[in-house]
Amino acid sequence: MRNYILKRLGQMIPVLILVSIIIFFVMRLLPGDPISLMLAGAEGGAISAERRAELAESMGLNDPLIVQYFDWITSALRGDLGESIRMRESVSKLIGEFFASTFELSLVGLFFSLSIGLSTGIIAALKKDSWFDFLSMGLAYVGISMPIFWLGLVLILAFSFEVKWFPSAGGEGLRSLVLPGLTLGLSSAGLISRLTRSSLIEILNEDYIRTARSKGLKEQAVVMGHAMKNAMIPVVTMVGLQFGGMMAGAVVTETVFSRPGLGKVLVNGVLWMDYPLVQGIILFLAVVYMSTNLLVDISYCFIDPRIRYS
Amino acid sequence: MMNKDRLKFGVHLFLKNKGAVLGLTIMLIWIIIAIFTDFIAPYDPYERVGKARLAPSSEFIMGTDVIGRDVFTRVLYGSRTSLVLGLISVSFGSFFGIILGLISGYNSGTWIDTAIMRFMDALLAFPGMLLALIIIASLGPSIQNVMIAVGISTVPQFSRLTRASVLSIKEMTYVEASRVIGATDFRIIYKHIFPNIVSSLIVLATLQVGNAILVGAGLSFLGMGSQPPSPEWGLATAQGREALKKAWWISTFPGIAVLTVVMSSNLIGDGLRTALDPRMKYE
């Protein structure tokens, strides 16, 4: 198993290098120039050519791109992602400050997506072709196709304006996390529900399930003990992908609910064309996403013994 | 290659699928609306035709927006942007994806294949709309750039699917036979490989159209796509956000429009997948 984990880690490195190259070079296609941007607010816009040259030199913008890339990536490896042009703060510090709230939101999103997705998926599979199956799969379809920003607004309308159960924006504590968490979790709940259903239905037709039933096991033991464990393998992959995706989905959710978080900072970064900020956050999120997927792959070793021994 | 009977059987399977037919109907309605909006829409999408934030009534069936434009008219006009966005970005993504996938699969095991596939892995390492976000950050916010960004983020899916299909087909005896009698690479790809992968590509493309529209609307909602006064749905939803408490209709209807288009493209995609699945027997 250790070999498997090491192999997977090894495969991650070239992809990570390519990811950093893509981020860096795409950002350098930037048509605007960062110095004008940086000075637009601060020094009234009008600056001398010397001051401009001085700044470009100090920011390393005169070096060849390849040198700039190596400077950036070596600093990034040391945890220094540069300084945000607009916010005048270290990008690493900003990430540290805002990541916790995005992570928290993603966890709540994951909680909703798992609890709703798994329970409806299991019931739908066990009661295949019933009205529950029909209704929940229809709703799952709507969930998958729903624009996340719109869902957020609809939830605000229903649960903070009509009945005043939850706050519509910002706020502290668990109550303020319910609506953003639901917004983030519902579309992936749809995916998980559909996948759980189809996976479980397939497994329930296997011979070993018939054996388990014929030796007189209770239905609950058949489903929970035999079927679920095997049906969960594709679902776990999906959950891993979804969790990583949720941190990115937080971009929209945090904007809708005016929640401070990495997503909101990233959106502002893009609109301000603040490239150190954008490339830093995106690099960070890509690393988090890839690590989550790695963890999921490793977790297979525990769920599926076939992988452990191969 | 798909013969006539198989095609007929596929159509039969598709039409038997209620969801797929529903999806196709909704999509056709939207396409008709997009083409004939000028004749259907009751007002001008950019002009103030009433007071701001009028509730839905017989005069304005979806009410008026924050500055008094007709929401219904704007929802109808918005269909153009979204459908064009879906179509163009997926055409763009599938074009480059298929070419890269063909090159990669046809030269499997060489450094070209490795280079292309590692690059695709790297593109897939960006979760959700983040890849689109950095492209927008670098090109600037506009609906054209959203199309490019969304298009690029669909390239890896197409190239992977194409490569996998090419790998399984190129070892077939008839492809080898064709090579033996001296067919060029281009001819082999065009005559033998492409027709075999076209149905799975169509399924993927259909599903990607919905996704592209969803991501595109999301980017516009964030202010990175269509700019005012465009009636684009994501932007329109964002504009109604401030007035949500007093005028729910401004944000609600454009959002429902996105939902229906995306859902119809997902339904059609799923229907096509079943209909074109070669495992479905028709003896």
Side-chain angles (χ1 to χ4, degrees):
Chain A
M1 189 153 100
R2 218 184 66 194
N3 288 341
Y4 176 75
I5 296 174
L6 285 176
K7 200 178 109 198
R8 289 299 327 244
L9 269 173
Q11 285 169 346
M12 203 172 131
I13 293 167
V15 177
L16 250 177
I17 295 174
L18 267 172
V19 164
S20 69
I21 292 176
I22 293 173
I23 295 175
F24 183 83
F25 286 94
V26 167
M27 290 306 297
R28 291 310 149 107
L29 294 174
L30 202 78
D33 98 284
I35 299 178
S36 320
L37 199 79
M38 188 173 155
L39 297 170
E43 294 177 21
I47 56 154
S48 66
E50 289 98 70
R51 175 97 178 92
R52 184 175 274 273
E54 200 180 292
L55 268 167
E57 189 60 46
S58 72
M59 288 168 73
L61 292 171
N62 293 336
D63 296 334
L65 271 185
I66 196 89
V67 175
Q68 291 187 38
Y69 169 74
F70 277 105
D71 282 348
W72 175 62
I73 201 70
T74 43
S75 314
L77 286 174
R78 275 183 265 117
D80 173 14
L81 289 166
E83 193 177 289
S84 154
I85 296 176
R86 187 72 167 254
M87 296 167 92
R88 299 287 170 87
E89 257 191 279
S90 140
V91 174
S92 316
K93 204 180 135 216
L94 286 169
I95 291 178
E97 207 172 299
F98 288 104
F99 179 61
S101 111
T102 301
F103 188 73
E104 185 183 54
L105 176 60
S106 308
L107 278 182
V108 177
L110 189 69
F111 166 77
F112 281 121
S113 107
L114 276 180
S115 50
I116 299 172
L118 284 178
S119 56
T120 53
I122 294 173
I123 300 175
L126 295 179
K127 303 193 168 191
K128 194 171 159 240
D129 297 327
S130 67
W131 66 266
F132 182 88
D133 181 24
F134 188 74
L135 185 73
S136 60
M137 288 307 115
L139 284 177
Y141 223 102
V142 174
I144 294 167
S145 314
M146 211 154 34
I148 203 174
F149 56 87
W150 178 77
L151 172 63
L153 295 179
V154 171
L155 289 176
I156 291 177
L157 263 175
F159 296 107
S160 26
F161 292 165
E162 281 302 314
V163 291
K164 296 180 175 54
W165 290 351
F166 304 105
S168 67
E172 300 269 305
L174 266 182
R175 253 164 63 99
S176 73
L177 273 164
V178 173
L179 292 186
L182 264 176
T183 305
L184 201 54
L186 272 184
S187 73
S188 83
L191 277 174
I192 289 174
S193 171
R194 277 163 56 97
L195 191 66
T196 307
R197 174 184 179 272
S198 61
S199 172
L200 191 56
I201 287 178
E202 207 181 310
I203 300 280
L204 285 174
N205 284 325
E206 297 279 342
D207 288 342
Y208 61 83
I209 297 294
R210 198 169 318 129
T211 312
R213 278 190 181 135
S214 60
K215 72 182 183 190
L217 272 185
K218 279 189 189 136
E219 189 60 22
Q220 200 184 352
V222 173
V223 173
M224 287 304 164
H226 293 253
M228 275 312 280
K229 227 172 166 179
N230 289 299
M232 277 305 99
I233 295 172
V235 178
V236 170
T237 319
M238 178 66 89
V239 172
L241 288 170
Q242 291 297 313
F243 185 63
M246 267 181 206
M247 278 183 243
V251 171
V252 176
T253 314
E254 285 170 357
T255 307
V256 172
F257 289 91
S258 313
R259 270 181 70 84
L262 216 48
K264 189 90 183 45
V265 177
L266 178 60
V267 169
N268 290 337
V270 173
L271 294 173
W272 296 332
M273 293 182 136
D274 187 336
Y275 72 84
L277 185 62
V278 175
Q279 68 189 17
I281 295 179
I282 292 191
L283 182 68
F284 175 77
L285 286 176
V287 171
V288 172
Y289 184 60
M290 290 171 71
S291 319
T292 329
N293 290 345
L294 180 70
L295 285 178
V296 171
D297 282 353
I298 292 172
S299 74
Y300 283 154
C301 297
F302 297 98
I303 309 175
D304 189 347
R306 282 171 302 187
I307 290 174
R308 206 179 309 159
Y309 300 120
S310 69
Chain B
M1 185 159 177
M2 192 182 283
N3 62 35
K4 226 174 174 180
D5 286 345
R6 183 63 186 81
L7 191 69
K8 240 188 206 165
F9 179 67
V11 172
H12 166 75
L13 278 180
F14 185 86
L15 293 179
K16 237 177 59 184
N17 181 336
K18 282 186 197 124
V21 173
L22 176 71
L24 189 65
T25 315
I26 298 175
M27 187 55 92
L28 285 177
I29 293 175
W30 274 120
I31 291 173
I32 292 169
I33 288 175
I35 297 174
F36 298 106
T37 319
D38 293 332
F39 306 103
I40 307 169
Y43 301 99
D44 182 302
Y46 303 110
E47 224 167 280
R48 297 168 192 208
V49 289
K51 281 190 186 142
R53 298 194 296 268
L54 286 176
S57 63
S58 56
E59 198 183 354
F60 306 105
I61 54 173
M62 292 183 183
T64 61
D65 72 0
V66 276
I67 58 169
R69 295 170 298 195
D70 181 41
V71 173
F72 178 59
T73 303
R74 290 175 62 78
V75 166
L76 296 183
Y77 273 94
S79 63
R80 290 186 174 174
T81 318
S82 287
L83 292 180
V84 168
L85 180 138
L87 207 66
I88 291 193
S89 52
V90 173
S91 312
F92 178 88
S94 56
F95 179 77
F96 289 104
I98 291 169
I99 289 184
L100 288 172
L102 284 173
I103 296 175
S104 185
Y106 206 73
N107 300 295
S108 59
T110 64
W111 67 269
I112 307 178
D113 174 36
T114 316
I116 294 178
M117 281 303 120
R118 284 296 87 76
F119 189 66
M120 293 302 133
D121 286 346
L123 290 183
L124 283 173
F126 293 97
M129 52 162 54
L130 286 194
L131 183 62
L133 269 187
I134 53 168
I135 298 169
I136 302 285
S138 116
L139 297 178
S142 82
I143 193 70
Q144 287 81 5
N145 293 342
V146 166
M147 290 182 198
I148 297 175
V150 176
I152 292 177
S153 52
T154 60
V155 169
Q157 275 92 340
F158 284 100
S159 67
R160 282 189 151 194
L161 177 67
T162 310
R163 177 177 181 273
S165 318
V166 171
L167 284 184
S168 66
I169 293 162
K170 77 171 191 179
E171 302 304 331
M172 300 271 181
T173 328
Y174 65 89
V175 175
E176 261 173 51
S178 173
R179 188 170 302 140
V180 170
I181 59 171
T184 59
D185 287 351
F186 181 77
R187 189 181 158 81
I188 293 176
I189 290 178
Y190 179 73
K191 274 277 177 191
H192 298 298
I193 295 183
F194 202 67
N196 270 296
I197 57 177
V198 98
S199 56
S200 28
L201 286 172
I202 290 175
V203 173
L204 179 64
T206 319
L207 293 170
Q208 285 296 330
V209 166
N211 191 41
I213 292 175
L214 209 52
V215 174
L219 288 168
S220 287
F221 177 83
L222 295 174
M224 295 166 191
S226 295
Q227 301 296 320
S230 163
E232 198 279 337
W233 293 333
L235 176 67
T237 311
Q239 287 169 337
R241 199 180 138 213
E242 301 306 320
L244 192 64
K245 204 166 191 170
K246 290 188 194 129
W248 56 268
W249 52 89
I250 304 175
S251 287
T252 309
F253 291 116
I256 293 176
V258 179
L259 171 65
T260 56
V261 172
V262 175
M263 202 161 90
S264 72
S265 115
N266 287 342
L267 285 169
I268 298 172
D270 282 347
L272 284 175
R273 179 163 30 210
T274 327
L276 298 172
D277 189 343
R279 280 171 300 180
M280 299 298 264
K281 292 278 184 283
Y282 61 99
E283 292 92 76

